Amino acid sequence: MRHKLFEPFTLGSVSLKNRTVMAPMTRCRSGEGDTPTPLMATYYSQRATAGLILTEGTPVSPKARGYLWTPGIYTQEQIEGWKRVSEAVHNAGGQLFMQIWHVGRISHQSLQPDSAAPEGPTNELSNATVCFAYDEQENPGNVPTTQPKAIDAEDIQRIKQEFVQAALNARQSGIDGVEIHGANGYLFDEFLNSIINTRQDGYGDSIENRCHFLLEVVDAVSDAIGADRTGVRISPNGRFNDIPEDPQMEATFIYLSRELNQREIAFLHINDQGTFGLPSIPEGLIPKIRYVFSGPIILCGGYDAERAKDAIDQGIADLVAFGVPFIANPDLPARLEHGWSLNEADRDTFYGGEEQGYTDYPFYEE
Ligand SMILES: Cc1cc2nc3c(=O)[nH]c(=O)nc-3n(C[C@H](O)[C@H](O)[C@H](O)COP(=O)(O)O)c2cc1C
């Protein structure tokens, strides 16, 4: 009998043909003006047999950028570029949500308008963290992040508005919904962390206040495009991008998940950074989140077909997202369903470049 992983699922207001999700993955291949290219449309449409595609992290404004060649969603040209992507995916029978993103303090002045300081929760620099920007000789490469400037109340309201506009722009470009990037050490994850976030202005200082910014943005985006088209990604216990261990981690993510449950968002996407070689989500936390969040849960991080089916059978996941396996296998759902062999991903072509390692991975042939 066909496993539920390969059966249709209703996610908010979108009907998916199966429960496999393509995880959001930055590939650094945007064109002039950080505009999505026709090649990106080909890449995503090749993967349209996923029940849902989550696009790569997509900056909501010029200040939200932390890497070169990441396609944005704040200019008319970018909206037109994304239209090509959404049309190609829909024509191939797929559905897609855009991951909308602000990198917070993980940025470099060479990427910022007027070489300004990146926007962080505080002025504290992240240690030993790099981003992909221009070095002193103006060559692209991994460079240490620049000292950030703490955003103030006005910035918070502006950034909230940028997320709203990004979500509206995504919908205008035909994209089915958005995933707010609350994971992996970027802006919202920085606000959630009790060691990094030492603010005293109603956006720090307690669990409720550290969740305040993300929840305000969720509310504003939901008001603009519908909660049933708004998802959120988190990475509990994540350490990527110099997120320190947080004694309040578990209580924070349970509180946040309970709040998100009340908002009836389209999904909660939980990323486990264990496959980054970092600590995993502690045993028992995902069932606790499941207990307080009754909407659709997507789990991600190191899944294969067996683990994915098991997570769905246990009831801790409704859908499962695959990252690296989707880079190398455009037809991943069929391969997982039939137990066909998988192509190996080539890490050297993850970021930047053209077709190689992007649109030239073969489909399965017997
Ligand atoms: C090349 C690459 C780029 C990624 N970019 C993003 C991103 O833009 N946003 C995000 O939330 N996660 C990003 N991730 C993390 C993936 O979404 C996923 O969580 C991770 O690869 C673990 O899943 P996997 O074990 O199935 O690969 C990226 C991962 C890779 C390999």
Side-chain angles (χ1 to χ4, degrees):
M1 207 175 80
R2 200 175 206 198
H3 191 274
K4 273 198 275 191
L5 180 61
F6 307 108
E7 293 283 347
F9 185 80
T10 304
L11 187 78
S13 55
V14 184
S15 301
L16 309 182
K17 58 182 173 294
N18 62 58
R19 298 178 186 228
T20 68
V21 177
M22 177 176 167
M25 283 179 290
T26 294
R27 304 301 308 274
C28 296
R29 282 166 166 88
S30 64
E32 187 71 29
D34 284 336
T35 300
T37 62
L39 188 64
M40 284 175 54
T42 303
Y43 163 74
Y44 282 113
S45 64
Q46 285 176 339
R47 286 154 182 78
T49 55
L52 179 68
I53 291 174
L54 295 168
T55 73
E56 59 211 277
T58 304
V60 298
S61 74
K63 283 171 178 272
R65 297 159 67 233
Y67 303 84
L68 286 166
W69 312 317
T70 49
I73 186 68
Y74 48 85
T75 70
Q76 196 55 43
E77 292 73 27
Q78 291 166 347
I79 294 172
E80 297 306 320
W82 281 113
K83 260 185 205 161
R84 277 199 296 267
V85 174
S86 71
E87 274 167 20
V89 169
H90 289 146
N91 288 341
Q95 310 273 1
L96 74 172
F97 273 41
M98 174 181 282
Q99 188 184 56
I100 50 177
W101 187 25
H102 189 304
V103 298
R105 65 181 188 169
I106 307 302
S107 186
H108 186 261
Q109 64 196 37
S110 67
L111 297 172
Q112 292 291 320
D114 305 320
S115 301
E119 303 189 302
T122 68
N123 294 330
E124 197 81 28
L125 181 66
S126 69
N127 292 308
T129 304
V130 293
C131 60
F132 185 60
Y134 291 113
D135 65 17
E136 279 169 14
Q137 284 75 45
E138 301 204 6
N139 294 318
N142 285 326
V143 293
T145 53
T146 303
Q147 165 112 32
K149 181 176 168 295
I151 54 176
D152 62 19
E154 238 175 76
D155 296 320
I156 286 183
Q157 293 311 312
R158 170 181 47 78
I159 292 170
K160 183 166 81 181
Q161 206 41 51
E162 288 168 355
F163 272 88
V164 167
Q165 193 57 52
L168 290 169
N169 291 351
R171 293 289 293 134
Q172 199 193 324
S173 65
I175 289 181
D176 301 292
V178 299
E179 171 179 273
I180 298 170
H181 195 345
N184 297 350
Y186 299 109
L187 186 65
F188 297 120
D189 205 18
E190 293 161 7
F191 266 78
L192 296 178
N193 187 277
S194 73
I195 306 295
I196 294 182
N197 182 353
T198 53
R199 299 174 70 99
Q200 303 287 333
D201 63 345
Y203 290 96
D205 211 22
S206 67
I207 288 176
E208 292 77 2
N209 287 347
R210 284 194 301 278
C211 293
H212 190 171
F213 187 16
L214 175 54
L215 290 171
E216 259 191 48
V217 170
V218 170
D219 287 339
V221 168
S222 299
D223 282 349
I225 66 163
D228 57 352
R229 293 187 185 272
T230 303
V232 175
R233 188 176 220 214
I234 56 173
S235 52
N237 204 36
R239 303 290 157 73
F240 188 60
N241 281 324
D242 197 34
I243 291 287
E245 185 171 2
D246 182 353
Q248 298 189 34
M249 185 279 294
E250 197 164 311
T252 302
F253 283 98
I254 290 173
Y255 169 81
L256 178 65
S257 304
R258 189 179 283 121
E259 287 292 314
L260 291 171
N261 185 56
Q262 286 175 10
R263 287 161 170 82
E264 298 186 6
I265 57 171
F267 61 82
L268 179 59
H269 183 180
I270 307 173
N271 182 38
D272 188 321
Q273 294 177 355
T275 55
F276 295 2
L278 296 168
S280 283
I281 298 173
E283 179 113 16
L285 180 54
I286 290 175
K288 287 181 193 163
I289 291 178
R290 166 88 284 177
Y291 185 72
V292 298
F293 185 84
S294 54
I297 288 184
I298 307 176
L299 293 184
C300 182
Y303 283 85
D304 58 17
E306 289 320 305
R307 275 194 72 207
K309 289 181 199 169
D310 192 45
I312 289 176
D313 291 342
Q314 280 183 50
I316 53 171
D318 298 289
L319 305 106
V320 176
F322 302 86
V324 173
F326 251 119
I327 288 183
N329 299 278
D331 50 355
L332 184 68
R335 289 179 188 244
L336 296 179
E337 183 170 5
H338 303 295
W340 296 337
S341 61
L342 300 184
N343 301 321
E344 279 290 313
D346 167 22
R347 289 177 185 270
D348 293 342
T349 50
F350 276 6
Y351 304 106
E354 302 279 337
E355 292 91 347
Q356 199 200 341
Y358 192 52
T359 50
D360 64 352
Y361 283 106
F363 285 70
Y364 184 76
E365 274 183 63
E366 287 191 65

